[in-house]
Structures are given as structure tokens and as C-alpha cells.
Amino acid sequence: MMKAVVLLTTLLVAVAAAERPNLLVFIVDDMGWQDTSLPFYHDAAGQPVTTALNRRYRTPHMESLAARGMRFTRAYAHPVCTPSRITLMTGKNPARHRVTNWTSPAGVENGDNDVKHLRSPEGWGRTGIAAGEKTLPALLQAAGYRTIHCGKAHFGSRGAFGQDPAKIGFDVNIAGNEIGHPASYFAKESFGKGSNHVTGLEKWHGQDLFLTEVLTRELSGAIEAAAKEKQPFFAYMAHYAVHSPFQADPRFAKNYPGLPKPQQAYASLIEGMDRSLGDLLAKLDALGIAENTFVVFLSDNGGDAPIPNDKAKPVVAGNAPLRGKKGMRYEGGIRVPMIAAWAKPAPEHGAQATLKVPANSRHDGLVSIADLFPTLLELAGVSGVPPFDGHDLRPALKGGPSTRPQRLVTHYPHGHNNDHFSIYHEDHWKFIRNHADGSGELYDLSKDLAESKNLATERPDVAAAMSEKLERQLEGYGALRSKRVDP
Ligand code: CA
């Protein structure tokens, strides 16, 4: 009898373990909303619109992943790297975790001070993630997951807590440290020298391989090792691509003849990143674990394509039809491509039975990078963790109406591109507070996605109400404000 009870208990544990899905987050650096052949833009009637940029880029594996699940046409991240990445790891809005700007390897302030009388707040998280944060990988690790970091970390500066991904809960760290971009994408150049040298890939030095491919091979190996030991895993594939330096991926540059050199290189970085996605999906399939692996694809901020400004209008063509680019308060700075799907749809299979994501579906509601924290924890069966500023996206992922509040605060009290601003999104309205001169901007994104007509004067009622909600929410977060100095 005793033996039977023990056997039964063992079986139950085994079943529970088998049903826990593997998680793959595939995050691209600085990839814009339109840097793909997959349309994320649709017209007023809801019909997908293929833009000039969609026609330029080749991302067949993103198309394939979207066909397996859901694309999110209105996903937001922070305007720059580190804040978005720490938000993904903690579920906290940057105004709450206080790493509101990117961290430099040396832990010093970036010197971009276009607004003469404002500086970054005292006490912002200049060296990165705070030691006390309960992170997504640490929580999954405690629940029995193998947690694998691959690529760009950028959670904190050299010598700070967040420098080493192992400190925030990753069992395995491949090539992640304090840097925000590689000195070189080429293994032949040992991935560059100096403070942006990519560490931990010594065995590849001298080979004729591109960093994107090296990371793909490394992560494939780590996933295979976890699968062999039948341990559920959380794999965080954080590509250095498509961040500058815009070095051409030699495998794909020939596909973009006629483009200026930096744009050709950029397009090849995108196609290389997409090939990595395809290779990883194929690997999951070959290992027989694709049905049990949930994949989220996204970028960490708006696009930074080397496509010149149209000086006549303040619209950067690199993110058209959106206005602005990485770092900016306009949609081009913060709206990112996002896809979520099971690597191989099998609706009655294991964990998929509890989260059936309709094939080739689309969600047009507002979602945030913070939402991955509760969504992935719930999917892994880790409950009881405060979601902070994220919202569980599972209802939306099932194709139901969104239960996520259609509101979002973005807070950037620093100098860079567009300086010192806070944003409040609510439904189709967007309000921007410019801290440099106190001015406000109001846009109706349902009619004016390009943010060409500031309605702040025409609709003072809406602007005032949104301004008040923005202030109240910033106070709730304990947000730090730009510091006034004598110019
Ligand atoms: Ca970035």
C-alpha cells in the first residue's frame, strides 16, 4: 500500500513536470515596428497594410511564427534598452524600478544635456537593476526551471549587481554582461576589443561566423541539454542584433542590392535575426518539444534604422508610418513588434490545452513588455507573485476580449533624442508632458497614428484629464523627476 502511494505521488509529480511548458523569449535589440515583412499596421477597416518597409525586409520565420499564433499590433516597450529589459524581468514600470535610462558599462551618466536646465533625477538606477528585485528567471529557477540567458544582458554596469545574469537568476549565461552593443559582430575579429567586447565566446574566435549565428548555435546546445535531462526551461534569447554597429551579415547582404551600405547592413542584420528564430523553432521541433514550448517574440524599444530623417517633416522614415525613432516620445520610439505562439500548435496537447492560441490571429489592444512577467509566470504555474505593473495576457491570448486596462505610463526624465518627457496612453488617446518647457501634446492615435496634429489646444478637457491621471500614476510609482539646475 505504502509503495503504491509513493508510486502515485511520483507519477503525479512527473505528470505536473511534463505539463509545465518550456518558455522561449526571443527579444531583438532596437528592432522597429516595421522592420519586418510581417504587417503590424492595419487600416481603419482593420485590413493589414503592407508598407514600403514591410516590402524591403525579409522575415519569413516571423511570418511563420505569427501564422502559428497571435501578433500584437500595439505592444509597447520603454524608449531605450535597460529600462525595458528590467521591466521584462520584474514586471515593474521603469518609473517604479527607477532604472529609467540605459546603463553605461562604466556606470556613468550619459552626457546628453540638450535641455540646459534639466538633469537626470538624483538617485535613478544609474548602475542598473537593484539587488533586491525578485526576477522572472529567479522565480522560474526556484520553481524548477532551467534558466538560460543568451546574448545581450545590459541589466547593470561593470561591478554592479546586474552585470552578471547569474545574479538575477540565470543558471546559464551565454555572452551576457554589462555592454549594450557588440564592438564587432564578427567571430574573426573575436567580437571586437575594448569595453564593448562580447565575452564568453572564446571558442568561436577566428571562425568565419557572425555573432547572430554563434548565439543561435550556443542556445541550441543549451536547449538540447535541458531537453535531454527533461528539465523545463526558460530560454531568454536576447540578440545583440539589430543594434549598431551596422555591420552586414555576410549571409544575407546580397539580398538587398541598391540600398545605401548602412541600410543594406541593417536589412541583413534583420534577416540574420529572423534566420535565428527559424533555426531555433526547427531545433525545438527536432527535439520533439515544440508542442510544449511557448514562444514570445518582441523588441526592446523602437527602431533605430539608419534611414535619414525627412527634414521637412519631423518624421523618421525608418519607422514610417510611425513618427520618431528609438529614444523618442513618439510611437516610433516605443511601439514594438510582438508575436506569441506555441512553437508547434497542437491545441489538445499538454499545457496548450489550457492556453489555446488561435492560429494566425491578431490582437489590437494595448499591451506592454511588463505583461510578460505575470503571463509567463502563470503559464509556468508560478502563482502568488505580485504582478506589479504587468497584466496577465492569457485571456487575450485565447482570443477573448482583452482584460488588460488600456492605459500605460512611460517616464523618461533624462536627456537623449527627445529630452525629459512622460507619456500617458489611454485607449486611442495619447498625452505627452514635455518637462523641458511644461508643454503638453495630445494625439488621437485612432485617426492620427503619425502624431501629426497636436490636439492639446482643441481638446483641453481631454488633455487636462490625462495630465492629471499621468501625475497621479507617477506619484503612485514613486517616480523620480528631472532635476532642475541653473543653466
Ligand atoms: Ca535596445
Side-chain angles (χ1 to χ4, degrees):
M1 182 63 191
M2 196 61 196
K3 211 171 187 178
V5 170
V6 171
L7 184 65
L8 184 64
T9 311
T10 312
L11 273 175
L12 284 174
V13 170
V15 167
E19 284 178 351
R20 282 191 298 174
N22 305 307
L23 307 169
L24 169 61
V25 170
F26 190 103
I27 187 165
V28 188
D29 197 4
D30 289 6
M31 180 190 175
W33 191 57
Q34 292 294 304
D35 294 344
T36 165
S37 51
L38 179 70
F40 280 88
Y41 177 45
H42 55 84
D43 62 20
Q47 291 305 306
V49 176
T50 303
T51 63
L53 292 173
N54 293 152
R55 284 190 290 275
R56 168 184 290 202
Y57 297 118
R58 297 170 179 229
T59 58
H61 301 291
M62 283 180 68
E63 292 177 40
S64 169
L65 184 66
R68 299 172 210 193
M70 184 171 285
R71 88 185 75 167
F72 290 82
T73 61
R74 200 182 171 197
Y76 290 103
H78 199 75
V80 294
C81 300
T82 313
S84 283
R85 288 158 190 264
I86 295 178
T87 292
L88 196 163
M89 292 295 150
T90 61
K92 293 180 179 175
N93 188 294
R96 190 193 296 280
H97 66 59
R98 295 188 169 176
V99 189
T100 38
N101 207 0
W102 80 88
T103 54
S104 76
V108 295
E109 184 85 28
N110 82 76
D112 203 345
N113 287 319
D114 290 344
V115 181
K116 298 298 175 210
H117 66 283
L118 293 180
R119 293 289 180 277
S120 296
E122 297 282 359
W124 79 273
R126 189 172 42 79
T127 59
I129 188 167
E133 297 285 9
K134 275 195 167 49
T135 65
L136 179 64
L139 290 159
L140 292 169
Q141 188 181 50
Y145 273 72
R146 182 175 302 189
T147 52
I148 308 163
H149 179 280
C150 184
K152 168 172 156 170
H154 207 191
F155 302 120
S157 306
R158 201 178 303 126
F161 175 76
Q163 177 190 13
D164 180 1
K167 292 272 180 56
I168 70 160
F170 283 104
D171 296 318
V172 179
N173 171 31
I174 301 159
N177 58 25
E178 72 281 5
I179 67 175
H181 63 84
S184 167
Y185 278 99
F186 297 106
K188 270 200 169 151
E189 297 174 354
S190 305
F191 307 111
K193 293 188 170 63
S195 67
N196 286 305
H197 166 65
V198 183
T199 53
L201 299 175
E202 289 71 20
K203 75 174 186 195
W204 304 93
H205 289 183
Q207 297 194 39
D208 192 13
L209 287 170
F210 205 70
L211 178 54
T212 308
E213 170 67 10
V214 167
L215 294 176
T216 307
R217 293 188 190 185
E218 285 273 349
L219 184 61
S220 292
I223 286 175
E224 184 164 346
K228 273 194 178 140
E229 289 169 37
K230 304 214 180 303
Q231 187 178 8
F233 61 82
F234 165 53
Y236 176 73
M237 171 48 109
H239 271 295
Y240 281 96
V242 297
H243 197 297
S244 61
F246 301 128
Q247 295 175 322
D249 188 328
R251 300 172 294 171
F252 305 108
K254 63 181 182 306
N255 293 339
Y256 306 92
L259 286 180
K261 276 272 182 259
Q263 294 183 36
Q264 183 186 40
Y266 188 75
S268 76
L269 283 167
I270 288 170
E271 189 167 353
M273 166 285 295
D274 183 75
R275 172 64 63 88
S276 169
L277 176 66
D279 288 349
L280 289 173
L281 292 171
K283 182 72 182 179
L284 294 169
D285 200 17
L287 291 169
I289 54 174
E291 293 90 341
N292 199 40
T293 303
F294 187 74
V295 184
V296 180
F297 175 104
L298 80 170
S299 171
D300 72 334
N301 50 247
D304 193 28
I307 301 176
N309 275 316
D310 177 348
K311 289 205 175 71
K313 291 177 282 179
V315 174
V316 175
N319 288 288
L322 302 182
R323 179 178 179 181
K325 61 179 284 187
K326 176 187 181 181
M328 292 188 178
R329 58 191 180 255
Y330 300 110
E331 294 291 286
I334 51 180
R335 196 182 279 224
V336 295
M338 176 169 150
I339 307 165
W342 293 98
K344 187 179 202 175
E348 306 309 325
H349 184 282
Q352 283 201 45
T354 64
L355 185 71
K356 296 178 184 176
V357 185
N360 202 21
S361 55
R362 196 178 91 197
H363 184 80
D364 296 330
L366 181 159
V367 300
S368 153
I369 191 168
D371 300 338
L372 297 191
F373 181 82
T375 305
L376 296 177
L377 285 175
E378 291 290 345
L379 201 48
V382 181
S383 51
V385 180
F388 295 108
D389 306 308
H391 298 273
D392 184 358
L393 295 179
R394 287 177 305 161
L397 283 163
K398 291 174 186 167
S402 181
T403 53
R404 193 208 189 283
Q406 295 295 289
R407 298 187 294 270
L408 183 68
V409 168
T410 306
H411 183 53
Y412 190 70
H414 305 279
H416 181 59
N417 286 351
N418 289 177
D419 299 284
H420 301 271
F421 59 85
S422 305
I423 305 168
Y424 193 75
H425 281 99
E426 185 169 26
D427 299 323
H428 58 283
W429 289 109
K430 175 177 180 179
F431 177 77
I432 303 168
R433 176 64 73 202
N434 297 306
H435 301 301
D437 59 3
S439 65
E441 295 174 55
L442 179 71
Y443 299 102
D444 180 348
L445 298 178
S446 66
K447 299 191 179 92
D448 180 23
L449 187 62
E451 298 167 274
S452 60
K453 192 170 186 318
N454 179 2
L455 300 172
T457 310
E458 205 171 298
R459 294 298 304 271
D461 53 329
V462 178
M466 292 188 75
S467 173
E468 196 193 322
K469 289 177 189 173
L470 170 63
E471 281 303 314
R472 212 182 308 142
Q473 190 61 65
L474 286 172
E475 273 173 34
Y477 289 143
L480 298 171
R481 310 302 179 112
S482 305
K483 185 173 84 166
R484 290 194 159 266
V485 294
D486 290 331

